[in-house]
Protein backbone atom coordinates (compact mmCIF):
# COMPACT_ATOMS: atom_id res chain seq x y z
CA UNK A 1 0.00 0.00 0.00
CA UNK A 2 1.39 3.41 -0.90
CA UNK A 3 1.04 6.44 1.32
CA UNK A 4 -1.99 8.61 0.55
CA UNK A 5 -1.52 12.35 0.03
CA UNK A 6 -1.30 14.27 3.30
CA UNK A 7 -4.61 15.88 2.47
CA UNK A 8 -6.65 12.65 2.72
CA UNK A 9 -9.77 13.73 4.61
CA UNK A 10 -11.04 11.63 7.52
CA UNK A 11 -13.39 8.87 6.42
CA UNK A 12 -16.79 9.90 7.71
CA UNK A 13 -19.05 7.89 5.41
CA UNK A 14 -18.95 4.37 4.02
CA UNK A 15 -19.65 3.97 0.27
CA UNK A 16 -23.17 2.66 -0.53
CA UNK A 17 -23.43 -1.14 -0.33
CA UNK A 18 -20.14 -1.46 1.58
CA UNK A 19 -20.37 -2.99 5.08
CA UNK A 20 -19.21 -0.43 7.64
CA UNK A 21 -18.02 -3.03 10.14
CA UNK A 22 -16.54 -6.27 8.82
CA UNK A 23 -15.49 -9.02 11.22
CA UNK A 24 -13.42 -12.00 10.10
CA UNK A 25 -12.84 -15.33 11.84
CA UNK A 26 -9.51 -16.20 10.24
CA UNK A 27 -9.77 -19.99 10.37
CA UNK A 28 -8.08 -22.85 8.54
CA UNK A 29 -4.39 -22.00 8.88
CA UNK A 30 -3.52 -25.37 10.42
CA UNK A 31 -5.41 -27.38 7.82
CA UNK A 32 -3.90 -25.31 5.02
CA UNK A 33 -0.46 -26.40 6.22
CA UNK A 34 -1.29 -30.00 7.15
CA UNK A 35 -2.81 -30.68 3.74
CA UNK A 36 0.43 -29.63 2.15
CA UNK A 37 2.52 -31.79 4.48
CA UNK A 38 3.83 -28.70 6.34
CA UNK A 39 3.87 -28.04 10.09
CA UNK A 40 0.93 -25.95 11.35
CA UNK A 41 3.10 -22.91 12.04
CA UNK A 42 3.63 -22.47 8.31
CA UNK A 43 -0.10 -21.96 7.95
CA UNK A 44 0.03 -19.19 10.54
CA UNK A 45 2.91 -17.50 8.70
CA UNK A 46 0.97 -17.59 5.43
CA UNK A 47 -2.14 -16.41 7.24
CA UNK A 48 -0.26 -13.35 8.50
CA UNK A 49 0.53 -12.41 4.90
CA UNK A 50 -3.14 -12.73 4.04
CA UNK A 51 -4.01 -10.35 6.89
CA UNK A 52 -1.93 -7.64 5.21
CA UNK A 53 -3.83 -8.06 1.92
CA UNK A 54 -7.20 -8.12 3.67
CA UNK A 55 -6.47 -4.90 5.58
CA UNK A 56 -5.29 -3.13 2.41
CA UNK A 57 -8.33 -4.31 0.46
CA UNK A 58 -10.82 -3.26 3.13
CA UNK A 59 -9.16 0.17 3.32
CA UNK A 60 -9.46 0.49 -0.47
CA UNK A 61 -13.13 -0.48 -0.45
CA UNK A 62 -14.04 2.05 2.22
CA UNK A 63 -14.75 -0.22 5.19
CA UNK A 64 -14.75 1.79 8.44
CA UNK A 65 -14.14 -0.96 11.04
CA UNK A 66 -12.42 -4.30 10.53
CA UNK A 67 -12.24 -6.75 13.45
CA UNK A 68 -10.01 -9.80 13.05
CA UNK A 69 -10.13 -12.89 15.28
CA UNK A 70 -6.51 -13.94 15.77
CA UNK A 71 -6.49 -15.86 19.07
CA UNK A 72 -9.44 -16.93 21.18
CA UNK A 73 -9.33 -17.44 24.91
CA UNK A 74 -10.01 -21.10 24.15
CA UNK A 75 -6.90 -21.28 21.95
CA UNK A 76 -4.86 -21.56 25.16
CA UNK A 77 -5.79 -25.25 24.94
CA UNK A 78 -3.32 -25.60 22.05
CA UNK A 79 0.23 -26.93 22.46
CA UNK A 80 2.48 -24.45 24.23
CA UNK A 81 4.83 -24.26 21.22
CA UNK A 82 1.99 -23.23 18.87
CA UNK A 83 0.74 -20.58 21.30
CA UNK A 84 4.25 -19.16 21.75
CA UNK A 85 4.81 -19.16 18.00
CA UNK A 86 1.59 -17.25 17.42
CA UNK A 87 2.46 -14.57 19.98
CA UNK A 88 5.93 -14.09 18.44
CA UNK A 89 4.33 -13.86 15.01
CA UNK A 90 1.81 -11.25 16.18
CA UNK A 91 4.57 -9.11 17.75
CA UNK A 92 6.82 -9.24 14.70
CA UNK A 93 4.00 -8.48 12.27
CA UNK A 94 2.75 -5.56 14.34
CA UNK A 95 6.27 -4.09 14.36
CA UNK A 96 6.79 -4.71 10.64
CA UNK A 97 3.43 -3.27 9.60
CA UNK A 98 3.48 -0.22 11.83
CA UNK A 99 4.96 2.27 9.35
CA UNK A 100 2.51 1.20 6.66
CA UNK A 101 -0.44 1.50 9.05
CA UNK A 102 0.57 5.02 10.01
CA UNK A 103 1.20 6.04 6.38
CA UNK A 104 -2.22 4.80 5.35
CA UNK A 105 -4.18 6.41 8.17
CA UNK A 106 -5.13 3.09 9.74
CA UNK A 107 -5.88 2.99 13.44
CA UNK A 108 -4.83 -0.26 15.10
CA UNK A 109 -6.13 -1.54 18.42
CA UNK A 110 -6.29 -4.91 20.15
CA UNK A 111 -9.27 -6.32 22.04
CA UNK A 112 -9.13 -9.09 24.62
CA UNK A 113 -7.17 -9.82 27.78
CA UNK A 114 -3.61 -8.59 27.98
CA UNK A 115 -2.61 -9.85 31.39
CA UNK A 116 -1.73 -13.33 30.09
CA UNK A 117 0.23 -12.17 27.01
CA UNK A 118 4.03 -12.01 26.92
CA UNK A 119 5.36 -8.52 27.82
CA UNK A 120 7.06 -8.13 24.42
CA UNK A 121 3.71 -8.54 22.69
CA UNK A 122 1.95 -6.21 25.14
CA UNK A 123 4.63 -3.58 24.45
CA UNK A 124 4.36 -3.97 20.67
CA UNK A 125 0.58 -3.58 20.91
CA UNK A 126 0.81 -0.49 23.12
CA UNK A 127 3.33 1.14 20.80
CA UNK A 128 1.24 0.43 17.69
CA UNK A 129 -1.92 1.69 19.37
CA UNK A 130 -0.21 4.92 20.37
CA UNK A 131 1.45 5.51 17.00
CA UNK A 132 -1.75 4.84 14.99
CA UNK A 133 -4.19 6.61 17.33
CA UNK A 134 -4.80 9.46 14.86
CA UNK A 135 -5.71 7.16 11.95
CA UNK A 136 -9.05 8.08 10.39
CA UNK A 137 -9.35 5.85 7.30
CA UNK A 138 -9.97 2.42 8.82
CA UNK A 139 -9.99 1.08 12.38
CA UNK A 140 -8.48 -2.40 12.53
CA UNK A 141 -9.09 -4.29 15.77
CA UNK A 142 -7.33 -7.56 16.35
CA UNK A 143 -8.86 -9.92 18.90
CA UNK A 144 -6.18 -11.66 20.96
CA UNK A 145 -7.02 -13.76 24.04
CA UNK A 146 -10.57 -12.72 23.29
CA UNK A 147 -13.82 -14.27 24.52
CA UNK A 148 -17.10 -12.63 23.62
CA UNK A 149 -18.89 -14.15 26.59
CA UNK A 150 -16.21 -12.72 28.88
CA UNK A 151 -16.44 -9.30 27.17
CA UNK A 152 -20.22 -9.22 27.60
CA UNK A 153 -19.96 -10.28 31.24
CA UNK A 154 -17.35 -7.58 31.84
CA UNK A 155 -19.43 -4.92 30.11
CA UNK A 156 -22.23 -5.63 32.57
CA UNK A 157 -20.24 -6.08 35.75
CA UNK A 158 -17.59 -3.40 35.28
CA UNK A 159 -19.03 -1.13 32.61
CA UNK A 160 -15.92 -1.81 30.53
CA UNK A 161 -12.34 -1.33 31.64
CA UNK A 162 -11.36 1.50 29.30
CA UNK A 163 -9.08 -0.61 27.09
CA UNK A 164 -11.56 -1.41 24.32
CA UNK A 165 -12.26 -4.86 25.66
CA UNK A 166 -16.01 -4.44 26.09
CA UNK A 167 -18.60 -4.05 23.36
CA UNK A 168 -17.90 -2.83 19.82
CA UNK A 169 -20.04 -1.18 17.13
CA UNK A 170 -22.59 -3.55 15.55
CA UNK A 171 -21.07 -5.87 12.95
CA UNK A 172 -22.53 -5.57 9.45
CA UNK A 173 -20.80 -8.53 7.83
CA UNK A 174 -19.21 -11.51 9.55
CA UNK A 175 -16.95 -13.71 7.42
CA UNK A 176 -15.56 -17.07 8.55
CA UNK A 177 -13.04 -18.92 6.41
CA UNK A 178 -12.05 -22.56 6.83
CA UNK A 179 -15.43 -24.20 6.24
CA UNK A 180 -16.85 -24.24 9.78
CA UNK A 181 -20.22 -22.61 10.36
CA UNK A 182 -19.96 -21.43 13.94
CA UNK A 183 -19.00 -18.30 15.89
CA UNK A 184 -16.54 -19.84 18.39
CA UNK A 185 -17.22 -17.12 21.00
CA UNK A 186 -16.60 -14.15 18.66
CA UNK A 187 -18.64 -10.91 18.85
CA UNK A 188 -21.84 -12.67 19.94
CA UNK A 189 -23.53 -9.44 21.01
CA UNK A 190 -22.27 -7.31 18.14
CA UNK A 191 -23.39 -9.83 15.49
CA UNK A 192 -27.08 -9.59 16.49
CA UNK A 193 -28.02 -8.43 12.95
CA UNK A 194 -24.82 -9.22 11.09
CA UNK A 195 -25.02 -10.78 7.66
CA UNK A 196 -23.10 -14.04 7.73
CA UNK A 197 -20.71 -15.40 5.10
CA UNK A 198 -19.04 -18.79 5.49
CA UNK A 199 -16.29 -19.59 3.04
CA UNK A 200 -14.75 -23.02 2.49
CA UNK A 201 -11.38 -21.48 1.57
CA UNK A 202 -8.66 -21.75 4.25
CA UNK A 203 -7.56 -18.36 5.47
CA UNK A 204 -4.06 -18.39 3.88
CA UNK A 205 -5.75 -18.92 0.49
CA UNK A 206 -8.31 -16.13 0.93
CA UNK A 207 -7.96 -13.86 -2.09
CA UNK A 208 -9.15 -10.30 -2.56
CA UNK A 209 -11.51 -11.67 -5.24
CA UNK A 210 -13.13 -13.88 -2.56
CA UNK A 211 -13.72 -10.75 -0.49
CA UNK A 212 -15.14 -8.97 -3.53
CA UNK A 213 -17.60 -11.84 -3.96
CA UNK A 214 -18.68 -11.67 -0.31
CA UNK A 215 -19.05 -7.89 -0.48
CA UNK A 216 -21.18 -7.97 -3.62
CA UNK A 217 -23.39 -10.61 -2.02
CA UNK A 218 -23.70 -8.34 1.04
CA UNK A 219 -24.72 -5.41 -1.17
CA UNK A 220 -27.63 -7.49 -2.52
CA UNK A 221 -29.01 -8.54 0.86
CA UNK A 222 -32.03 -6.81 2.30
CA UNK A 223 -31.52 -5.98 5.96
CA UNK A 224 -34.87 -5.71 7.68
CA UNK A 225 -33.96 -5.62 11.39
CA UNK A 226 -37.30 -7.17 12.22
CA UNK A 227 -39.30 -4.81 10.01
CA UNK A 228 -41.08 -5.57 6.76
CA UNK A 229 -39.55 -5.56 3.27
CA UNK A 230 -39.54 -2.23 1.49
CA UNK A 231 -42.31 -2.63 -1.13
CA UNK A 232 -43.28 -0.66 -4.15
CA UNK A 233 -46.99 0.20 -3.92
CA UNK A 234 -48.70 -1.56 -6.87
CA UNK A 235 -52.32 -1.78 -5.72
CA UNK A 236 -54.69 0.38 -7.68
CA UNK A 237 -57.55 2.26 -6.06
C1 LIG B 1 -6.94 -20.11 12.76
O1 LIG B 1 -6.51 -21.25 12.16
C2 LIG B 1 -5.84 -19.39 13.51
C3 LIG B 1 -5.94 -19.49 14.97
C4 LIG B 1 -6.92 -20.00 15.65
C5 LIG B 1 -4.83 -18.95 15.71
P1 LIG B 1 -6.44 -22.61 12.94
O2 LIG B 1 -5.11 -22.71 13.61
O3 LIG B 1 -7.62 -22.78 13.81
O4 LIG B 1 -6.50 -23.63 11.74
P2 LIG B 1 -7.33 -24.98 11.68
O5 LIG B 1 -8.75 -24.63 11.99
O6 LIG B 1 -6.73 -25.90 12.71
O7 LIG B 1 -7.14 -25.46 10.29
C1 LIG C 1 -11.65 -19.56 16.14
O1 LIG C 1 -11.10 -20.65 15.48
C2 LIG C 1 -10.56 -18.67 16.66
C3 LIG C 1 -9.77 -18.00 15.63
C4 LIG C 1 -9.90 -18.10 14.35
C5 LIG C 1 -8.76 -17.12 16.15
P1 LIG C 1 -10.87 -22.04 16.23
O2 LIG C 1 -10.20 -22.91 15.23
O3 LIG C 1 -10.20 -21.86 17.53
O4 LIG C 1 -12.39 -22.51 16.50
P2 LIG C 1 -13.02 -23.95 16.66
O5 LIG C 1 -12.19 -24.70 17.67
O6 LIG C 1 -12.96 -24.61 15.32
O7 LIG C 1 -14.42 -23.68 17.10
MG1 LIG D 1 -9.48 -23.57 13.54
Amino acid sequence: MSAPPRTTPPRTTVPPGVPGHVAIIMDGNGRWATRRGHPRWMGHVRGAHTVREVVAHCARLGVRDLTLYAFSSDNWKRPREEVGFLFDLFASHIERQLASLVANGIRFTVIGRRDRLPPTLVDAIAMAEARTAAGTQLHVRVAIDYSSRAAIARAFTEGGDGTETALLPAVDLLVRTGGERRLSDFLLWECAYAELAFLDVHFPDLATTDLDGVFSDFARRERRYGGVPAVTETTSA
Side-chain angles (χ1 to χ4, degrees), residues 26-32 40 44 70-72 75 78 82 86 90 202:
M26 309 186 289
D27 197 24
N29 291 351
R31 281 165 287 163
W32 180 92
R40 290 177 57 86
H44 297 315
F71 189 89
S72 83
N75 290 149
R78 296 185 179 208
E82 179 168 346
L86 282 166
F90 297 158
H202 292 138

Side-chain angles (χ1 to χ4, degrees), residues 6-232:
R6 280 176 170 282
T7 50
T8 305
R11 186 173 330 270
T12 48
T13 54
V14 173
V18 171
H21 186 180
V22 177
I24 306 182
I25 302 176
M26 309 186 289
D27 197 24
N29 291 351
R31 281 165 287 163
W32 180 92
T34 307
R35 290 206 182 150
R36 286 165 176 76
H38 301 320
R40 290 177 57 86
W41 63 262
M42 281 184 68
H44 297 315
V45 169
R46 289 293 290 259
H49 288 285
T50 305
V51 170
R52 211 173 44 198
E53 314 272 307
V54 166
V55 169
H57 202 56
C58 286
R60 267 196 299 274
L61 295 175
V63 171
R64 186 190 59 236
D65 291 282
L66 173 66
T67 306
L68 302 170
Y69 206 8
F71 189 89
S72 83
S73 294
D74 287 318
N75 290 149
W76 286 105
K77 295 172 189 161
R78 296 185 179 208
R80 211 159 48 149
E81 301 72 44
E82 179 168 346
V83 171
F85 183 85
L86 282 166
F87 291 158
D88 288 346
L89 187 70
F90 297 158
S92 69
H93 267 263
I94 290 169
E95 278 158 15
R96 268 195 270 163
Q97 291 308 308
L98 186 51
S100 157
L101 293 171
V102 173
N104 289 285
I106 295 171
R107 182 174 172 209
F108 171 89
T109 56
V110 167
I111 57 170
R113 285 181 65 163
R114 297 196 191 182
D115 57 307
R116 302 189 286 194
L117 303 181
T120 45
L121 176 56
V122 174
D123 291 348
I125 291 168
M127 185 183 54
E129 288 181 335
R131 293 265 315 275
T132 64
T136 57
Q137 299 304 300
L138 168 68
H139 186 169
V140 176
R141 294 178 181 84
V142 178
I144 301 177
D145 197 358
Y146 173 85
S147 154
S148 183
R149 283 181 295 194
I152 292 167
R154 202 162 42 245
F156 281 98
T157 56
E158 298 168 17
D161 64 5
T163 57
E164 275 239 46
T165 53
L167 305 177
L168 306 183
V171 171
D172 295 298
L173 173 65
L174 175 98
V175 182
R176 180 170 187 148
T177 61
E180 313 296 351
R181 283 151 171 76
R182 55 176 172 254
L183 295 179
S184 303
D185 201 9
F186 188 48
L187 303 177
L188 305 178
W189 179 280
E190 293 86 346
C191 282
Y193 274 99
E195 301 294 328
L196 308 177
F198 296 103
L199 302 179
D200 290 330
V201 63
H202 292 138
F203 187 71
D205 281 335
L206 181 73
T208 53
T209 48
D210 295 318
L211 277 183
D212 290 340
V214 165
F215 277 47
S216 57
D217 182 46
F218 173 87
R220 284 193 297 271
R221 297 198 197 176
E222 185 182 52
R223 306 185 73 196
R224 293 190 289 277
Y225 298 97
V228 291
V231 283
T232 319

